[in-house]
């Protein structure tokens, strides 16, 4: 899978938002094309890839294997939001280990789940992102990555 278009300040903003909030809503496309959403714990790699774990047999993993397009919203009570569109996969080898390490570091209390053979690590490579600060009037909204939407 190719890397995201994140760099510089955009990369820093995505990494900071995901690390500060630690969870969000992940939306995938069901078999008939209808959206399906789940509230999940989210980690982020230094490259700006979003990472979560899931049961291999879950509808979320089945959806992403069939159609890897995904939308994610990371927001919180602090008044800032991050909207992401990207492409998800279940990385293997060194990529899986790198993504799993980001998840372990963010959620040490969930680290044992990554040793369960029924659990997979899912990576989302960001293709489009928008960050907003709604604590101000008017709100500040910045498109961080554009053009290559999922």
């Amino acid at each position: 899978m190719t890397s995201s278009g994140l760099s510089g300040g955009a990369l820093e903003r995505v990494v900071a938002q995901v690390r500060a909030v630690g969870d969000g809503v992940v939306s995938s496309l069901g078999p008939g094309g209808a959206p399906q959403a789940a509230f999940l714990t989210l980690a982020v790699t230094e490259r700006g890839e979003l990472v979560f774990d899931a049961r291999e047999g879950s509808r979320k993993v089945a959806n992403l294997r069939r159609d890897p397009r995904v939308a994610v919203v990371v927001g919180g009570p602090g008044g800032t939001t991050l909207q992401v569109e990207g492409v998800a996969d279940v990385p293997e080898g060194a990529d899986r280990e790198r993504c799993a390490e980001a998840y372990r570091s963010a959620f040490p209390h969930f680290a044992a789940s990554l040793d369960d053979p029924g659990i997979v690590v899912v990576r989302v490579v960001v293709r489009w992102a928008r960050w907003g600060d709604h604590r101000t009037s008017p709100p500040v909204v910045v498109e961080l990555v554009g053009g290559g939407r999922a």
Side-chain angles (χ1 to χ4, degrees), residues 46-66:
E46 293 296 326
R47 298 178 186 179
E49 302 151 314
L50 281 57
V51 178
F52 58 89
D53 70 347
R55 290 231 160 260
E56 173 65 50
S58 69
R59 72 182 190 164
K60 177 175 29 299
V61 172
N63 289 347
L64 297 174
R65 288 191 188 280
R66 184 180 52 263

Side-chain angles (χ1 to χ4, degrees), residues 4-144:
S4 72
L6 292 171
S7 62
L11 175 62
E12 291 172 10
R13 180 81 51 123
V14 167
V15 169
Q17 180 76 16
V18 175
R19 288 184 177 161
V21 176
D23 53 36
V25 176
V26 176
S27 297
S28 59
L29 297 171
Q36 295 179 345
F39 185 76
L40 302 167
T41 55
L42 297 169
V44 64
T45 70
E46 293 296 326
R47 298 178 186 179
E49 302 151 314
L50 281 57
V51 178
F52 58 89
D53 70 347
R55 290 231 160 260
E56 173 65 50
S58 69
R59 72 182 190 164
K60 177 175 29 299
V61 172
N63 289 347
L64 297 174
R65 288 191 188 280
R66 184 180 52 263
D67 186 336
R69 294 175 297 165
V70 64
V72 181
V73 176
V74 179
T80 59
T81 61
L82 175 68
Q83 297 169 288
V84 168
E85 292 177 9
V87 178
D89 72 342
V90 176
E92 297 179 357
D95 279 339
R96 185 211 186 270
E97 202 41 51
R98 182 176 53 75
C99 291
E101 185 51 39
Y103 193 81
R104 270 189 216 94
S105 293
F107 307 107
H109 50 289
F110 295 145
S113 72
L114 298 176
D115 297 328
D116 181 334
I119 298 292
V120 296
V121 173
V122 179
R123 163 180 60 183
V124 175
V125 175
V126 176
R127 297 287 187 243
W128 175 87
R130 177 185 293 149
W131 180 83
D133 185 344
H134 303 277
R135 299 170 293 186
T136 63
S137 182
V140 175
V141 178
V142 180
E143 191 161 314
L144 302 174

